[in-house]
Amino acid sequence: FFSFFQATPKPELINFLRCHNNYFLPNAATSNNHDIGFQLSKSPSLNSYFAKLSSILSTMSPPVSTAGPIAKKPRTTGTTKKNENDEIPVPEITQLDYVSLTSHADAFGVDPIPISWGHPDPLVRGPVICTVRHSSQRNAIGAHSGSYCIYTGLAVAAGKLNPDYVPNLKLTSPVFNIGPHKSWTDPKKIASIDPFGHIVTEAYAGYLDKGFDIRPTIAVTKAHIDLPETREAVKSGRLVPDGKILLPTGQSIVSKAAVEPVWYLPEIARRFGCTETVLRQSIFRMTNGMYPELITRPDIKIFLPPIGGLTIYIWGDPDTIPDDDIELTCRVHDECNGSDVFGSDICTCRPYLTHAIEECIKTAQRGGCGIVIYYRKEGRSLGEVTKYLVYNTRKRQEGGDSAENYFACTEKVAGVQDTRFQALMPDPLHFLGVKKIHNFISMSDMKYNAIVSTGIEIVNRVEIPKELVPDDAQVEITAKVFHGYNAGEAYKGIDENELKKTKGREYGYDQNTKKNLVE
């Protein structure tokens, strides 16, 4: 053991001790290697320490030589090549009986598969490896499935899932084609999703054949959509079934893709106007140190954040999307569970979404294509709990729920009006090859500006029809239009007087509270 201490460069030794042992050496940073060994010899847990260290050394270290430092483990291509040009390395399967809290760049055994983000050749670009089976070759921080990765941990803890299980992807390939598009090679256009994430079984078949566990981050399929608003539109005559896009039952036929976020950190930092270091430190801090590799692994540039992804719904032929001469209707919609699913009338979310779907169907029937991109950004990305706290503040404030104080209430509770920051929002449009949107079903200037700033042309901006705005949502729409949302013809004339007089529904929260306390 002392020969190991003497042969190991001091920073690597300290890293070794801190990463692979529960015993903490308070003076390690100021001690020489021999002193560290002496401290260990004085440790009351000497036997247990050396037992664990011996086990680690036997599986991780080559024969120790006092002639020089232990070098970083080189990548090998093995002897299982398909041909002489096969440069795919042999997968190293992680089998650990201890927990490593983090890893470090250039440490022994760390050899991530290179990523060249933006390269048009997926093999040169490299696969995103973020599974637990290849810890030494992993080239991404985080885990697959976003926030649902916690449930995977629960399944393992409950004994329902083997942590070494590798999914059978044989029949999972896309049912329709997306790309490749020129935009895939430009990080300024795609940096929050993996453009090759849906063709893993095709692009990285060689890696899979060799035993690498590489997971798709995009799944592409088809479906029938059945909405009561669409059935009502058919009944009223606003929509006419054609048997191809829209069935007589009111069901519409869509192509769709589910997308998990995959962030290329250097470009994410650029879009937010900060350094990559500041971005990493901010995420590390605000997740209470959940991802230490954001700090210890600056060499890894890919991050799979624990947030919701997005879903793309397409009406019509997806192959027509890149053709800017063919009509394209689009809405980018941010999740609102209360309205979208349960029909809460305090906002315009569901009626605007269903109106967009109706316009997408009409466009597809005219030979064009309609797209709805549905982001999991509940409550302006502040979360549903924060949103409901804002609702209570709006209803309880002096004078009741008013358009005049609509945005101020959110800021009082959350400290900020909105954390959606649309800088990443256009990426799925570029993934689809969108160059021109003829009908943009949105009143948001933030979304409009984010899209056109990336080179996509928007011809028409379509506001929500006034008759679709619920009574209690008048506060929202009035506040948004007054503060600069694109109003169109339908909402002209909203001035300061209209802002002050627009009130929302009263629930009598405080009266009920006082009554309950008295009782």
Side-chain angles (χ1 to χ4, degrees):
F1 288 111
F2 277 94
S3 65
F4 174 77
F5 297 149
Q6 295 292 343
T8 307
K10 184 179 176 184
E12 184 174 333
L13 176 61
I14 293 173
N15 171 48
F16 179 89
L17 295 171
R18 287 176 174 166
C19 291
H20 299 293
N21 184 49
N22 292 328
Y23 181 79
F24 178 68
L25 299 175
N27 299 316
T30 58
S31 303
N32 60 42
N33 290 357
H34 186 275
D35 287 341
I36 291 175
F38 181 75
Q39 290 177 43
L40 288 172
S41 70
K42 294 292 187 180
S43 167
S45 57
L46 178 65
N47 291 336
S48 62
Y49 176 84
F50 278 138
K52 179 177 289 187
L53 184 59
S54 178
S55 174
I56 295 170
L57 290 176
S58 66
T59 58
M60 294 185 62
S61 301
V64 176
S65 170
T66 58
I70 298 176
K72 179 180 176 180
K73 188 176 181 180
R75 177 177 291 112
T76 60
T77 55
T79 58
T80 58
K81 293 182 180 180
K82 287 183 176 180
N83 55 63
E84 292 182 356
N85 296 321
D86 186 355
E87 297 297 329
I88 298 173
V90 174
E92 298 178 9
I93 308 302
T94 303
Q95 294 179 334
L96 300 178
D97 58 357
Y98 62 92
V99 176
S100 178
L101 298 181
T102 190
S103 62
H104 295 264
D106 297 321
F108 175 78
V110 173
D111 195 20
I113 301 298
I115 286 278
S116 181
W117 193 268
H119 198 284
D121 185 338
L123 285 177
V124 178
R125 200 293 304 268
V128 173
I129 300 179
C130 200
T131 50
V132 299
R133 288 176 57 82
H134 314 294
S135 60
S136 65
Q137 295 165 304
R138 181 169 49 83
N139 56 20
I141 301 166
H144 285 284
S145 302
S147 59
Y148 294 105
C149 65
I150 303 300
Y151 289 99
T152 305
L154 289 175
V156 172
K160 301 296 184 180
L161 175 66
N162 184 343
D164 295 326
Y165 178 77
V166 177
N168 184 341
L169 302 175
K170 183 178 180 181
L171 302 177
T172 64
S173 59
V175 300
F176 66 92
N177 183 60
I178 299 178
H181 301 293
K182 185 178 179 181
S183 53
W184 290 15
T185 65
D186 186 352
K188 292 184 178 180
K189 293 183 177 179
I190 297 182
S192 64
I193 62 178
D194 177 6
F196 300 111
H198 61 309
I199 53 174
V200 164
T201 55
E202 174 188 343
Y204 302 113
Y207 282 86
L208 295 172
D209 289 344
K210 279 198 170 181
F212 275 95
D213 183 6
I214 303 173
R215 309 286 175 95
T217 56
I218 301 174
V220 178
T221 188
K222 292 191 175 185
H224 285 46
I225 302 296
D226 193 350
L227 289 173
E229 287 87 347
T230 306
R231 293 198 301 269
E232 189 276 329
V234 170
K235 186 177 180 181
S236 67
R238 295 198 312 272
L239 287 176
V240 179
D242 62 332
K244 181 179 179 182
I245 305 297
L246 182 63
L247 303 180
T249 59
Q251 291 181 318
S252 61
I253 300 174
V254 300
S255 305
K256 62 180 184 177
V259 183
E260 291 180 5
V262 178
W263 288 5
Y264 178 57
L265 292 174
E267 172 60 18
I268 302 295
R270 188 200 67 82
R271 295 192 195 182
F272 282 85
C274 65
T275 66
E276 184 183 340
T277 298
V278 168
L279 175 67
R280 287 170 176 264
Q281 291 174 349
S282 298
I283 297 173
F284 177 75
R285 178 184 179 187
M286 299 312 293
T287 57
N288 286 318
M290 187 186 298
Y291 296 98
E293 285 182 322
L294 286 169
I295 307 301
T296 65
R297 293 299 302 274
D299 60 313
I300 294 183
K301 303 297 183 181
I302 309 299
F303 178 43
L304 275 59
I307 60 175
L310 62 97
T311 308
I312 301 169
Y313 294 88
I314 303 171
W315 287 263
D317 184 358
D319 288 339
T320 67
I321 292 175
D323 190 338
D324 54 13
D325 290 329
I326 297 179
E327 184 182 9
L328 180 64
T329 295
C330 175
R331 173 166 177 78
V332 179
H333 188 90
D334 296 323
E335 178 184 30
C336 177
N337 182 63
S339 177
D340 295 345
V341 179
F342 293 98
S344 173
D345 70 346
I346 199 172
C347 62
T348 60
C349 295
R350 181 182 175 100
Y352 216 167
L353 174 62
T354 57
H355 176 64
I357 291 174
E358 187 171 324
E359 292 301 310
C360 285
I361 292 171
K362 290 178 181 178
T363 302
Q365 289 179 325
R366 292 193 293 265
C369 194
I371 302 171
V372 169
I373 298 177
Y374 192 91
Y375 269 98
R376 302 320 192 275
K377 294 181 179 179
E378 179 64 64
R380 300 182 193 159
S381 292
L382 295 167
E384 198 166 28
V385 169
T386 298
K387 181 166 74 171
Y388 286 10
L389 295 176
V390 172
Y391 286 169
N392 287 346
T393 300
R394 284 173 52 184
K395 300 297 183 180
R396 281 177 167 152
Q397 67 183 321
E398 185 176 351
D401 189 11
S402 69
E404 187 176 19
N405 296 318
Y406 174 79
F407 289 106
C409 288
T410 302
E411 206 160 349
K412 284 180 182 178
V413 174
V416 63
Q417 288 185 10
D418 195 325
T419 56
R420 286 174 292 182
F421 302 118
Q422 305 294 349
L424 308 181
M425 176 270 295
D427 285 27
L429 294 172
H430 291 292
F431 169 65
L432 296 171
V434 173
K435 299 173 185 174
K436 184 177 183 178
I437 298 172
H438 297 80
N439 309 299
F440 186 48
I441 316 296
S442 173
M443 297 168 67
S444 170
D445 287 339
M446 289 179 65
K447 292 178 180 177
Y448 172 85
N449 292 334
I451 291 172
V452 298
S453 69
T454 65
I456 296 175
E457 179 185 356
I458 293 179
V459 180
N460 301 311
R461 300 174 69 179
V462 182
E463 69 274 12
I464 183 173
K466 290 192 74 171
E467 64 270 17
L468 295 183
V469 180
D471 289 342
D472 205 32
Q474 295 296 331
V475 169
E476 175 195 78
I477 198 72
T478 301
K480 287 182 175 180
V481 171
F482 180 81
H483 285 94
Y485 275 56
N486 185 65
E489 293 295 326
Y491 298 93
K492 282 187 174 180
I494 292 181
D495 54 17
E496 191 169 352
N497 289 331
E498 187 72 19
L499 183 75
K500 290 181 177 180
K501 74 178 186 180
T502 302
K503 304 289 183 180
R505 183 183 295 118
E506 297 290 341
Y507 282 109
Y509 290 146
D510 292 331
Q511 291 88 335
N512 292 334
T513 300
K514 292 177 181 177
K515 180 182 177 182
N516 291 336
L517 286 173
V518 171
E519 292 177 351

